[in-house]
Amino acid sequence: MAEILPFRGVLYDPARVGDITSVVAPPYDVVGPAEQAALYARHPGNIIRLELGQEHPGDSPQENRYTRAHSFLQDWLRDGLLRRDDKPAIYLYAVEYRLRGGQTRTMRGFLSLVKLEEFGTGRIFPHENTRAAAKDDRYQLLETCRSNFSPIFSLYSDAEGAIIRTLERTVEKGQPRFAVTDADGVRHLLWTVSDQKALDRVVAAMKPLPLFIADGHHRYESALRYRNAQQQASGNKGPLPSDWVLMYFSNLDDPGLTILPTHRVLPGPLPCPAPEFRQRLAETFNVETVAFAKETEPAARAKFLGALHAARTTNAHVMGLIVRGESRYEVLTLTAEGLSRLGASARERLDVSILQQMVFRGAMRMEPKDEERLIYIKDEEDVLAAMARGEGELAVLLNPPRVTEVKDVARAGDRMPHKSTYFYPKPLTGLVINAMD
């Protein structure tokens, strides 16, 4: 089902670029303008020039950030900053990181090519909705450069961990090819596995497994569109390099994989007065108020967040509410009446769906234009800090979805609402490139 293919990756040559940390970057969709500029300044060969190039005044269809990316790529290949490996390989990739609470984890996975499949075939499952503008951007980059600069992040299930062990046994006595510590203190380790017996075992072990896309839906759908265009242009005469796309594979049974929640902050104005939406909330939620004075706020905050976190070990649907200027936190727990109003599908029973339908649209009477104003923040302390600075009129804190919920939604052929998940940590962009030419 998951047809993977070892490949001759294109990698930076440390002898030419120096410290590999200076040329890699976070995924493009988490890079803001300030970080983009900083990455440009860090090294003239930083991958950001390919993956998320800057726009210039006077850009045209003939000269733009996509055509500049193509020129940079060709120059770096010619000059030896980037080199293609001699042998097909799978790239073992481990990420060591620390959560805010102090726990240390290691996520183990690997980079390979995967054969593109249309959704609905029972092989590769999306879980989130996509947006047209983002897909057009990724398609133009792929069409112009014929390369995958960053991997799609996917999940497979291997409860015994045999696939990763097969790869680890081949490199257990060797130092990693690259060892990079990013700006957040996360350590990324990459090894090259070219042993043919190990590759054959991994390819065979992955074949019956379905894949769930964790991150990179826009890149995957753009790659599908590009594959279809290339097949049509060739008259469907045979296999093409565009039939495959670069993917990072993580075992969803690995305790090193973390799903973070994506909290919501709404700048003013509120769509309706707070007393009004609270009255409607009471129809389907039990509302526990945690009041505080200035000196008791830290204890109230700990109680509030503790109640939210405690729900992660239960089946209860719990979320936290903060309204600017009020000396209280509120814990919302869906009641039996609220449960009875939920649909039967896995998607409709997600906390983020309940928030969208019963809180935002139902109780608060939000319209699409209001939802477009939402700010998405993954760290709860950052949410509280943003509210303290007056950057939002209202915030809702969520628990992360469970891996089983993501699987259930995907297997049903459904999509989760926008910004439902934040899989962590993210693979870096630029460690390994898939160049089709």
Side-chain angles (χ1 to χ4, degrees):
M1 295 175 78
E3 190 172 346
I4 71 168
L5 180 70
F7 71 113
R8 293 172 59 208
V10 172
L11 293 84
Y12 281 103
D13 182 355
R16 293 299 310 277
V17 302
D19 183 4
I20 295 297
T21 305
S22 66
V23 291
V24 295
Y28 81 99
D29 52 357
V30 301
V31 174
E35 187 171 14
Q36 182 191 38
L39 290 166
Y40 258 75
R42 183 175 295 171
H43 193 286
N46 190 281
I47 193 71
I48 200 69
R49 287 174 169 80
L50 309 184
E51 179 72 347
L52 187 65
Q54 291 176 332
E55 295 181 344
H56 294 172
D59 276 352
S60 67
Q62 292 75 37
E63 175 68 23
N64 52 61
R65 62 192 182 98
Y66 308 112
T67 60
R68 285 190 289 273
H70 179 264
S71 295
F72 282 129
L73 176 62
Q74 297 306 310
D75 289 346
W76 298 352
L77 287 167
R78 184 188 63 247
D79 297 342
L81 271 72
L82 293 171
R83 294 185 181 277
R84 191 186 299 271
D85 278 348
D86 293 332
K87 296 180 180 179
I90 285 175
Y91 299 86
L92 178 64
Y93 183 1
V95 189
E96 301 171 352
Y97 64 103
R98 184 186 301 272
L99 295 174
R100 180 183 279 272
Q103 311 98 305
T104 57
R105 295 182 178 178
T106 300
M107 180 179 73
R108 295 172 175 84
F110 63 92
L111 291 160
S112 176
L113 301 187
V114 67
K115 191 170 186 180
L116 287 157
E117 299 284 351
E118 298 287 345
F119 295 143
T121 63
R123 295 182 175 90
I124 299 177
F125 298 88
H127 83 273
E128 276 195 344
N129 289 317
T130 53
R131 296 186 171 182
K135 287 189 287 188
D136 287 343
D137 165 57
R138 294 298 94 184
Y139 180 80
Q140 288 186 61
L141 183 65
L142 179 56
E143 183 181 46
T144 306
C145 295
R146 288 182 52 81
S147 298
N148 308 131
F149 302 125
S150 61
I152 294 157
F153 187 173
S154 75
L155 306 171
Y156 66 94
S157 181
D158 176 17
E160 301 300 320
I163 292 170
I164 291 298
R165 279 202 307 277
T166 297
L167 295 171
E168 287 181 328
R169 278 196 293 267
T170 68
V171 300
E172 59 187 354
K173 295 181 181 179
Q175 293 296 313
R177 182 169 179 176
F178 294 154
V180 173
T181 301
D182 67 23
D184 295 325
V186 178
R187 187 167 168 81
H188 303 258
L189 306 171
L190 187 83
W191 295 264
T192 303
V193 178
S194 56
D195 177 80
Q196 193 59 52
K197 290 183 179 179
L199 297 181
D200 290 344
R201 284 196 294 270
V202 172
V203 169
M206 288 293 295
K207 197 162 189 178
L209 303 181
L211 299 176
F212 303 91
I213 296 178
D215 198 14
H217 291 79
H218 296 99
R219 278 165 281 169
Y220 189 89
E221 292 188 27
S222 298
L224 272 176
R225 176 183 167 191
Y226 182 66
R227 179 205 68 178
N228 294 342
Q230 291 294 298
Q231 287 181 343
Q232 184 175 6
S234 71
N236 297 301
K237 293 180 180 178
L240 297 168
S242 53
D243 294 345
W244 305 83
V245 71
L246 178 63
M247 189 170 277
Y248 174 75
F249 302 85
S250 178
N251 183 5
L252 57 81
D253 300 301
D254 182 355
L257 174 69
T258 297
I259 305 180
L260 299 175
T262 307
H263 311 297
R264 272 71 168 158
V265 173
L266 179 69
L270 291 176
C272 70
E276 182 181 322
F277 72 67
R278 281 199 176 95
Q279 184 176 0
R280 285 192 286 264
L281 278 175
E283 297 174 8
T284 51
F285 288 89
N286 175 60
V287 181
E288 177 189 354
T289 299
V290 184
F292 58 85
K294 184 177 181 179
E295 63 276 10
T296 60
E297 191 279 332
R301 177 187 298 209
K303 181 179 179 180
F304 168 66
L305 295 177
L308 183 67
H309 299 166
R312 297 178 182 178
T313 60
T314 73
N315 291 323
H317 299 281
V318 179
M319 55 194 74
L321 174 65
I322 307 170
V323 178
R324 188 172 74 89
E326 295 186 352
S327 298
R328 58 175 166 176
Y329 299 123
E330 292 167 293
V331 181
L332 312 181
T333 304
L334 195 67
T335 62
E337 171 61 26
L339 281 168
S340 70
R341 299 187 188 185
L342 298 181
S345 72
R347 182 186 193 276
E348 292 169 297
R349 304 183 81 82
L350 296 167
D351 283 354
V352 67
S353 296
I354 294 168
L355 169 65
Q356 187 179 64
Q357 297 300 324
M358 301 182 75
V359 178
F360 284 161
R361 297 179 184 176
M364 296 183 183
R365 300 295 194 257
M366 271 195 191
E367 297 180 2
K369 61 181 175 59
D370 297 312
E371 294 185 40
E372 289 174 2
R373 295 190 289 117
L374 287 169
I375 299 169
Y376 301 93
I377 301 176
K378 66 178 182 295
D379 187 279
E380 59 195 24
E381 294 294 341
D382 290 342
V383 173
L384 290 160
M387 292 297 292
R389 292 191 299 267
E391 295 174 5
E393 285 294 316
L394 174 148
V396 179
L397 276 65
L398 295 167
N399 281 314
R402 301 175 181 87
V403 170
T404 53
E405 291 178 314
V406 176
K407 288 172 61 177
D408 289 344
V409 171
R411 283 189 182 278
D414 214 337
R415 305 280 187 105
M416 298 175 80
H418 182 59
K419 296 290 185 182
S420 296
T421 56
Y422 191 96
F423 288 90
Y424 187 80
K426 304 286 190 186
L428 286 175
T429 295
L431 285 179
V432 183
I433 296 169
N434 172 39
M436 299 179 198
D437 292 328

